[in-house]
Amino acid sequence: MWINFFRLRLFCCLLAVLMVLVLVINVTQVEYLDHETVSAMFIDSSGQFVSSQVSGISRNPYCGYEHQTLSSWERMEEDSLLAALQWQVPDMGPVPFLKSTDPSSSYFVILNSAAFFKVGSQLEVLVHVQDFQRRPKKYGGDYLQARIHSPKLQAGAVGRVVDYQNGSYKVFFTLLWPGKVKVSVSLVHPSEGIRVLQHLQEEKPDRVYFKSLFRSGRISETTECNVCLPGSLPLCNFTDLYTGEPWFCFKPKKLPCSSRINHFKGRVPEGPCHRCRECLLPEPSIRYFPSTDSSQGPVLSPEDKSGVNIKVPINSSGPDWVTVIPRRTKETNNLELSQGSGTFPSGYYYKDQWMPRKFKMRQFNDPDNITECLQRKVVYLFGDSTIRQWFEYLTTFVPDLVEFNLGSPKNVGPFLAVDQKHSILLRYRCHGPPIRFTTVFSNELRYVANELNGIVGGKNTVVAIAVWSHFSTFPLEVYIRRLRNIRRAVVQLLDRSPKTVVVIRTANAQELGPEVSLFNSDWYNFQLDTILRKMFSGVGVYLVDAWEMTLAHYLPHKLHPDEVIVKNQLDMFLSFVCPLET
């Protein structure tokens, strides 16, 4: 009897343990699937909620990215992102330069230019592109940028370009202010140049390279580093243990991998031949990125000088402006706020102030306003030099924010500023490699995802992130992987501390020349910007639209925009931190 009792008791204990194990496994699976769902779902540019069902997308073989271990949701999302970024350039083989797009002979026409337009109306512009023989082109693929602006009002907004794949393009604008509004269209790259940039992105991602110094005692060696390295030489594996972000250096001949001191960008003239301009762009490709300096490679002949077709204006055939009249009072109620989630453009300039169309942005014109907003807050700025501008602006404009000297290299960081009176802490740290800074100590190389995992968060914590520019030379899979890790950390931060404010700064347009275009073309950055927006849609973060803010402004494009644009970016950022009371 007692034996049967103990057997029954043992059986019950075993059953209870089994039930607990099943429960734990199920909970883990649910959490895992929930995380994957967050990673895979997003809102497209039209504001529609979509789930990728695309298959058969070819992945870049660089570093084995076609063999990445991805969950089904992550692979579906990546397929969708790569499909959305497929640039429609016909594969026609080599095209003679004279048959490529000539901005000086191309033209645009404003449709219904004689009509009366009201604020809020749509304006359509038709663009016809021609080659250097003044013949209409029969295919598309050119990269155009367009905006409307009123110089006297310091107003401007961007347009949406549609490629009809037959040599004609249509640009759509929303007229958002009254007065004389001018249209401007520019050719950033011809389709033939885009094909060159695609080839470089897929076949020569190591055209920007990096090095590290290894030192022990009196012995020092410098070796090359990158996301992956070709050949069979011994490597030092610096892949991050938590994020899995890959990073390798060639192993020094005499020193151990643990003797690594720093990280810095290599210079192209020091590198092997395949990185020099002439090898990157053999004829005829080099003609789409011509140099005016004979020492930098082939120069266009005098008759081809008009072929300098990088970010060149396209003229109008007829009027290049329209007159916009105000709406009646009943029609103007909340024009800016009545837009849907797919609002384009996201905002516009008026009297040099950015006016978002989704919410009322505050103006922080006085240092005291910023101090009041940031009082008792810790602000983390993570990313590249475009968000370092925010740190520099705040510490210059707000006298009570005193920078604390950490002995960091100039323009590299990390940086720290403190306002003890108002309990404000401001921190900046660059993101992990690839980072094209001069010299970063290896122990200061931190991945944004890891830094986010170390933040407790809360209502007095603010995080701003900008990660884009240093990924322009790599295949898109490299950037997608980095954002996937950052997004996962952001989701976890907001899950444990929902009142934390997280802001993402998008990419921006910049000045372009033949050399810069090969590494940081606006076409590359447009791709990164698109990926960034899609991957963070619906995650619960705020977006500072630096892309439209630079394209819509009258000042020349710069990698580091002028102060007036940075000021508007920070006004938008601070409006998220301290919104208007409603």
Side-chain angles (χ1 to χ4, degrees):
M1 174 178 164
W2 287 105
I3 294 174
N4 291 336
F5 175 78
F6 280 112
R7 285 178 179 175
L8 179 62
R9 186 174 181 182
L10 179 62
F11 175 78
C12 291
C13 290
L14 290 174
L15 183 63
V17 170
L18 182 62
M19 291 178 64
V20 170
L21 286 174
V22 171
L23 181 62
V24 170
I25 292 172
N26 286 339
V27 170
T28 304
Q29 279 293 105
V30 169
E31 289 179 347
Y32 180 69
L33 290 173
D34 182 64
H35 161 66
E36 289 187 341
T37 302
V38 171
S39 299
M41 301 297 188
F42 53 86
I43 300 173
D44 68 7
S45 58
S46 65
Q48 299 300 311
F49 186 77
V50 297
S51 173
S52 168
Q53 299 295 333
V54 184
S55 61
I57 298 299
S58 61
R59 287 178 170 77
N60 197 290
Y62 177 69
C63 299
Y65 268 81
E66 80 277 30
H67 300 305
Q68 276 191 99
T69 302
L70 301 175
S71 70
S72 58
W73 285 106
E74 288 171 341
R75 188 163 292 275
M76 288 169 64
E77 179 190 41
E78 189 167 288
D79 285 347
S80 180
L81 290 169
L82 295 176
L85 290 167
Q86 292 292 317
W87 197 265
Q88 298 299 317
V89 178
D91 187 9
M92 303 176 59
V95 176
F97 182 78
L98 291 178
K99 292 186 178 295
S100 67
T101 306
D102 175 18
S104 64
S105 64
S106 303
Y107 61 93
F108 70 83
V109 177
I110 297 177
L111 303 181
N112 299 322
S113 60
F116 288 97
F117 294 92
K118 292 182 179 180
V119 171
S121 299
Q122 294 293 308
L123 177 68
E124 297 182 12
V125 173
L126 193 61
V127 184
H128 297 277
V129 297
Q130 300 188 141
D131 61 25
F132 287 95
Q133 297 173 327
R134 307 191 77 83
R135 295 174 181 170
K137 292 187 67 178
K138 302 299 183 182
Y139 56 90
D142 300 308
Y143 178 35
L144 307 178
Q145 289 175 349
R147 69 184 178 107
I148 50 175
H149 53 110
S150 298
K152 291 185 178 179
L153 296 174
Q154 294 178 309
V158 301
R160 180 170 60 88
V161 180
V162 175
D163 185 351
Y164 287 103
Q165 294 297 312
N166 60 3
S168 63
Y169 303 78
K170 188 172 279 189
V171 188
F172 298 88
F173 298 98
T174 302
L175 300 170
L176 295 167
W177 63 88
K180 183 177 179 180
V181 177
K182 185 177 180 180
V183 174
S184 292
V185 180
S186 295
L187 172 72
V188 182
H189 292 296
S191 57
E192 298 78 13
I194 294 293
R195 290 174 61 186
V196 176
L197 294 176
Q198 284 178 326
H199 172 75
L200 291 176
Q201 186 180 52
E202 295 167 1
E203 304 296 333
K204 296 184 182 293
D206 61 343
R207 60 193 182 277
V208 170
Y209 70 106
F210 308 88
K211 289 187 174 184
S212 275
L213 172 67
F214 295 79
R215 187 170 60 208
S216 178
R218 297 182 178 181
I219 303 175
S220 62
E221 295 181 59
T222 300
T223 70
E224 186 175 335
C225 308
N226 217 317
V227 174
C228 69
L229 294 168
S232 57
L233 294 175
L235 299 176
C236 290
N237 186 352
F238 297 111
T239 298
D240 184 67
L241 296 176
Y242 298 98
T243 63
E245 291 286 353
W247 194 255
F248 301 90
C249 295
F250 285 122
K251 190 178 186 303
K253 295 179 180 179
K254 300 179 180 179
L255 296 173
C257 295
S258 58
S259 61
R260 183 186 182 207
I261 299 296
N262 61 24
H263 161 96
F264 58 95
K265 175 190 171 185
R267 295 184 179 180
V268 173
E270 297 174 355
C273 175
H274 72 276
R275 292 191 178 105
C276 67
R277 186 171 182 271
E278 292 83 352
C279 295
L280 282 177
L281 295 179
E283 285 285 0
S285 298
I286 199 169
R287 300 174 71 81
Y288 300 114
F289 301 88
S291 173
T292 56
D293 180 1
S294 59
S295 66
Q296 295 297 316
V299 180
L300 290 177
S301 59
E303 63 270 23
D304 286 346
K305 277 298 182 184
S306 59
V308 180
N309 50 7
I310 301 174
K311 245 181 193 180
V312 179
I314 293 176
N315 294 321
S316 65
S317 176
D320 63 353
W321 58 274
V322 296
T323 299
V324 182
I325 59 177
R327 283 176 175 256
R328 294 190 296 271
T329 304
K330 292 182 180 180
E331 297 175 320
T332 58
N333 290 336
N334 295 325
L335 171 68
E336 297 85 355
L337 299 177
S338 62
Q339 311 303 321
S341 60
T343 300
F344 185 90
S346 66
Y348 62 99
Y349 282 106
Y350 190 78
K351 295 183 179 178
D352 241 357
Q353 293 182 355
W354 183 249
M355 314 288 286
R357 298 178 66 197
K358 289 186 179 181
F359 71 102
K360 290 292 185 181
M361 190 174 86
R362 296 178 60 184
Q363 300 297 320
F364 292 83
N365 298 324
D366 190 281
D368 291 341
N369 300 144
I370 297 178
T371 299
E372 181 183 0
C373 175
L374 297 182
Q375 190 167 4
R376 293 185 297 278
K377 288 183 173 59
V378 179
V379 182
Y380 298 90
L381 306 177
F382 297 122
D384 53 39
S385 57
T386 60
I387 205 165
R388 190 187 68 219
Q389 278 190 287
W390 291 13
F391 181 93
E392 294 164 348
Y393 178 92
L394 289 171
T395 52
T396 301
F397 186 68
V398 182
D400 289 337
L401 264 177
V402 180
E403 185 174 353
F404 189 82
N405 185 5
L406 298 175
S408 303
K410 185 180 180 182
N411 298 333
V412 174
F415 300 127
L416 176 70
V418 178
D419 177 353
Q420 290 186 331
K421 181 180 178 182
H422 301 96
S423 301
I424 301 172
L425 181 63
L426 178 65
R427 306 181 66 172
Y428 163 78
R429 182 179 288 280
C430 69
H431 65 72
I435 190 82
R436 300 179 204 155
F437 286 171
T438 49
T439 301
V440 185
F441 295 115
S442 54
N443 61 355
E444 293 289 2
L445 288 173
R446 312 283 180 82
Y447 289 96
V448 174
N450 291 340
E451 293 296 297
L452 292 172
N453 288 334
I455 296 175
V456 175
K459 64 179 182 179
N460 291 324
T461 301
V462 182
V463 177
I465 304 168
V467 177
W468 59 277
S469 178
H470 299 253
F471 290 82
S472 58
T473 57
F474 291 95
L476 297 174
E477 290 87 345
V478 178
Y479 186 58
I480 292 172
R481 178 176 190 152
R482 181 61 55 89
L483 290 192
R484 190 185 296 124
N485 281 319
I486 294 174
R487 182 179 61 186
R488 183 182 298 116
V490 167
V491 170
Q492 291 171 350
L493 172 60
L494 293 177
D495 186 47
R496 65 178 177 267
S497 303
K499 293 186 178 181
T500 307
V501 176
V502 180
V503 180
I504 306 293
R505 182 203 186 277
T506 73
N508 61 259
Q510 68 172 93
E511 67 277 26
L512 293 183
E515 298 292 337
V516 174
S517 296
L518 304 182
F519 306 96
N520 263 33
S521 167
D522 278 0
W523 182 73
Y524 289 140
N525 295 332
F526 172 74
Q527 292 181 307
L528 301 180
D529 186 74
T530 302
I531 290 172
L532 179 72
R533 292 168 189 268
K534 286 183 177 293
M535 290 189 69
F536 278 93
S537 291
V539 175
V541 301
Y542 298 98
L543 202 71
V544 172
D545 198 338
W547 186 261
E548 287 195 19
M549 287 174 137
T550 50
L551 286 180
H553 204 273
Y554 56 84
L555 286 173
H557 299 164
K558 293 182 179 180
L559 174 61
H560 302 113
D562 285 342
E563 185 175 298
V564 62
I565 299 177
V566 176
K567 193 264 184 188
N568 276 286
Q569 292 174 4
L570 276 163
D571 282 348
M572 193 168 187
F573 164 66
L574 293 169
S575 296
F576 294 139
V577 179
C578 305
L580 285 169
E581 294 182 4
T582 58

